[in-house]
Amino acid sequence: MTERDRQLAERLERAVLSLLERRAEGASICPSDAARAVYEGDDDGWRALMEPARRAAWRLAAAGEVEVTQAGRPVTEAEARGPLRIRRARR
């Protein structure tokens, strides 16, 4: 991983956590919310950050910080297919 990739990964992780802090308990965000928050342009270039945003969510899930869900239930990376949501991990 290049230094630039590492910095992007960290920015996306911070964006996920920051966005969740501003949401109600139990509320979720889409990985696109983090991608848009980190993207510095005015066009739809944030779409190129979707996969890095998903990877950030999986890293945070592995660390116990968040849960990645589909249809309201937690899923593993191996079983996830299609749109994802991210919420704070239930303690």
Side-chain angles (χ1 to χ4, degrees):
M1 181 181 284
T2 68
E3 179 65 19
R4 184 175 176 193
D5 290 341
R6 189 185 59 75
Q7 289 175 352
L8 175 62
E10 289 175 0
R11 287 175 46 216
L12 285 163
E13 289 176 13
R14 284 194 306 269
V16 166
L17 295 173
S18 176
L19 289 164
L20 288 173
E21 283 177 14
R22 293 182 265 164
R23 298 283 199 295
E25 188 69 33
S28 65
I29 63 167
C30 178
S32 68
D33 296 325
R36 285 183 177 103
V38 168
Y39 184 63
E40 297 173 348
D42 292 332
D43 57 11
D44 66 352
W46 60 268
R47 292 178 187 279
L49 299 179
M50 283 298 294
E51 192 53 38
R54 287 185 190 99
R55 287 193 304 267
W58 290 119
R59 284 190 303 276
L60 290 169
E65 297 285 330
V66 303
E67 292 178 329
V68 178
T69 65
Q70 289 186 310
R73 72 172 190 83
V75 293
T76 66
E77 188 171 3
E79 66 189 351
R81 298 286 179 269
L84 305 173
R85 300 290 295 178
I86 308 162
R87 67 182 178 205
R88 280 182 232 139
R90 301 225 162 112
R91 305 275 181 207

